[in-house]
């Protein structure tokens, strides 16, 4: 799967739309299937488990079902719109309307790491470590991850850098 399909990218000369959570959608579906299988296993093993343990496991499984459904129905549809004509970056969420998160000429893309993996994040120039937004999937040290990272850098980061340079040139003129 190429990077355009992987992140459901749409772009024109002055806009760029990116769905950073879309690559984890298939994993969320598998996780949900595993949770449902766990619920069925809990039903078959209910005679062997203590009632308190059974309720604790059931509550955790229900929480994980809700979290997976959130990732599938809402999280995967969150996207960012980079717009040169308004010098803005918008975040669009299915629950809320389009929200301007920063100006395009203030945008900084940097790497953020957590627990052995890392991802690209987007933040405003002076406050990128206070408020930032994840704009890529997580990458690790494997060969496939390196290939995905390289294609992400060559296409997505290149397009974002081009738009930022374009807005800087327009502001200078």
């Amino acid at each position: 799967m190429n990077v355009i399909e992987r992140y459901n990218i749409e772009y024109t000369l002055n806009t760029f739309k990116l769905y950073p959570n879309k690559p984890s959608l298939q994993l969320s579906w598998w996780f949900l299937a595993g949770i449902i299988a766990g619920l069925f296993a809990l039903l078959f093993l209910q005679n062997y488990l203590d009632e308190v343990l059974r309720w604790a496991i059931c509550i955790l499984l229900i929480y994980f079902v809700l979290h997976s459904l959130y990732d599938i129905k809402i999280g995967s549809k969150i996207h960012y719109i980079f717009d040169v004509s308004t010098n803005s970056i918008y975040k669009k969420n299915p629950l809320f309307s389009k929200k301007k998160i920063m100006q395009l000429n203030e945008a900084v893309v940097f790497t953020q790491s957590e627990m052995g993996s890392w991802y690209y994040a987007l933040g405003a120039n002076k406050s990128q470590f206070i408020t930032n937004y994840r704009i890529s999937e997580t990458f690790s040290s494997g060969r496939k991850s390196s290939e995905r990272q390289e294609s992400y850098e060559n296409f997505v980061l290149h397009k974002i850098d081009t738009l930022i340079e374009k807005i800087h040139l327009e502001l200078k003129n």
Side-chain angles (χ1 to χ4, degrees):
M1 177 183 303
N2 67 19
V3 71
I4 295 173
E5 295 169 353
R6 188 168 185 81
Y7 291 98
N8 202 21
I9 293 172
E10 300 171 19
Y11 61 95
T12 63
L13 284 174
N14 291 325
T15 61
F16 183 76
K17 189 186 295 187
L18 170 73
Y19 291 77
N21 299 326
K22 189 176 179 262
S24 65
L25 182 62
Q26 185 176 11
L27 180 64
S28 294
W29 277 110
W30 279 108
F31 191 66
L32 181 62
I35 294 167
I36 292 171
L39 281 171
F40 282 119
L42 184 64
L43 287 175
F44 288 120
L45 298 174
Q46 69 181 344
N47 295 334
Y48 300 105
L49 299 174
D50 184 41
E51 184 178 356
V52 174
L53 182 61
R54 192 171 52 240
W55 278 105
I57 293 171
C58 189
I59 288 170
L60 281 174
L61 289 176
I62 289 172
Y63 168 76
F64 290 138
V65 165
L66 294 175
H67 195 280
S68 291
L69 288 175
Y70 172 82
D71 286 345
I72 292 167
K73 294 295 182 185
I74 297 168
S76 65
K77 292 178 178 50
I78 293 173
H79 60 277
Y80 297 97
I81 303 166
F82 299 80
D83 192 355
V84 172
S85 61
T86 61
N87 185 24
S88 301
I89 300 174
Y90 300 100
K91 179 180 180 181
K92 191 162 183 191
N93 187 333
L95 296 178
F96 306 108
S97 62
K98 186 164 73 170
K99 176 185 172 188
K100 180 179 176 180
I101 56 173
M102 70 185 75
Q103 290 185 338
L104 187 58
N105 63 335
E106 296 176 344
V108 175
V109 177
F110 59 98
T111 59
Q112 190 86 333
S113 65
E114 57 184 41
M115 295 202 280
S117 61
W118 61 276
Y119 56 89
Y120 286 103
L122 175 74
N125 192 13
K126 306 249 179 188
S127 63
Q128 71 262 27
F129 299 113
I130 298 169
T131 304
N132 56 60
Y133 305 91
R134 196 180 102 196
I135 59 168
S136 75
E137 63 185 300
T138 56
F139 299 109
S140 61
S141 60
R143 183 184 58 81
K144 285 186 177 183
S145 182
S146 295
E147 290 171 0
R148 288 194 315 264
Q149 171 199 348
E150 186 178 328
S151 65
Y152 184 87
E153 289 172 350
N154 290 337
F155 188 80
V156 175
L157 292 184
H158 178 72
K159 290 285 187 190
I160 292 172
D161 286 342
T162 303
L163 291 175
I164 291 173
E165 288 175 16
K166 188 173 184 178
I167 197 70
H168 282 298
L169 290 174
E170 286 182 8
L171 291 175
K172 283 184 180 178
N173 293 333

